[in-house]
Amino acid sequence: MPWADLEHAHGSADDVPDLLRELAGGTQEWDEVLDELFGDDLLHQGDCYEATAPALPFLTELIVADVVPAPQRRALYLWLTVAGGRRNDNLVGFAELAQDEGEPLQPGAWTEEVFRTVGDQVPVLLDRWDAEPQGIRFVLAVLAAQHPGHGVRAVDGIAALADELDGTQQGAYLRLALELAHGRDERAIALATEIVGWADRLEPGWLKAPGVPDGIKAAHVLTEGALSTIR
């Protein structure tokens, strides 16, 4: 990969290979390196960059290689989930502005490529469902629901996990993930509306984003709300 020819939030992405090697090598500053790579460089302030998509498969490689412990694997799943949600963030967040300016509704630069790249990782990651602890399976359920074409494979696991967590906020988000994974957008938006009614951190206006399909609005509620329960 010609990283020096690609760019991230702070210019040339020629530093990305060294940061990835540090993660694979188990550096003592592992959390800080991961945050620098994705929080500061590749997914900075809600944007995606030219180098973002090419870096994502390396996170999957770290996960499936089992070279890092569960808390660090969960962090990798989380960044994949955040990256996959950027397209929906953009579409919901900029819908009203696009309508006011008479512009076609479209995600920001590189976000569609990032979304597709994350989706390509989902089948491999779903193969790990039974091997991962409950906390990681929750994140994986959200990730799968962002990509229902692949996520439909996980509906039995998501349903079982939702039963385990019934009566909790995470259980409610899993019920929403299940509807999205099945592609039942009408039921998903109804559940998303219920969740927005009690989740103080979620914006009711997301559900009224003009020109945005119900499935994308519901997926945005799922990602933002589910990740807030972890943070």
Side-chain angles (χ1 to χ4, degrees):
M1 176 64 64
W3 292 104
D5 296 334
L6 304 179
E7 292 194 351
H8 56 46
H10 302 292
S12 173
D14 58 359
D15 57 339
V16 169
D18 287 339
L19 294 171
L20 290 171
R21 278 191 288 269
E22 286 190 62
L23 293 175
T27 173
Q28 292 185 345
E29 291 80 32
W30 197 92
D31 291 334
E32 290 79 5
V33 171
L34 183 65
D35 188 60
E36 177 184 351
L37 179 59
F38 282 91
D40 196 40
D41 290 341
L42 297 175
L43 292 169
H44 184 62
Q45 294 185 346
D47 291 324
C48 295
Y49 301 88
E50 189 179 17
T52 307
L56 294 170
F58 290 94
L59 300 191
T60 300
E61 290 182 18
L62 283 175
I63 291 170
V64 302
D66 277 328
V67 296
V68 296
Q72 293 179 346
R73 290 201 308 278
R74 188 178 75 159
L76 298 173
Y77 282 104
L78 282 169
W79 276 116
L80 286 165
T81 304
V82 169
R86 285 291 188 248
R87 182 196 67 164
N88 297 342
D89 293 350
N90 282 191
L91 289 173
V92 171
F94 297 130
E96 188 171 346
L97 179 62
Q99 185 183 56
D100 290 344
E101 296 182 355
E103 299 291 338
L105 185 61
Q106 58 186 5
W110 309 113
T111 55
E112 195 65 37
E113 180 185 2
V114 166
F115 180 78
R116 289 195 302 268
T117 301
V118 174
D120 290 341
Q121 313 309 305
V122 171
V124 176
L125 296 172
L126 285 178
D127 288 340
R128 296 185 55 85
W129 181 275
D130 292 332
E132 294 290 16
Q134 184 186 84
I136 288 180
R137 281 184 280 128
F138 174 72
V139 181
L140 185 50
V142 177
L143 179 60
Q146 290 178 342
H147 305 271
H150 299 302
V152 68
R153 288 179 46 200
V155 293
D156 290 342
I158 296 173
L161 187 58
D163 287 341
E164 290 178 35
L165 295 172
D166 189 38
T168 70
Q169 289 190 17
Q170 290 195 341
Y173 286 115
L174 287 166
R175 298 294 179 195
L176 174 54
L178 185 61
E179 297 304 331
L180 286 167
H182 274 296
R184 298 191 290 237
D185 292 352
E186 185 175 346
R187 294 174 65 174
I189 198 66
L191 285 177
T193 302
E194 290 181 13
I195 288 172
V196 168
W198 53 256
D200 294 338
R201 298 185 62 177
L202 303 184
E203 295 290 338
W206 294 343
L207 300 173
K208 300 177 181 179
V212 179
D214 284 348
I216 288 179
K217 289 188 284 191
H220 182 62
V221 169
L222 171 65
T223 303
E224 292 297 310
L227 294 184
S228 73
T229 70
I230 297 171
R231 297 189 187 111

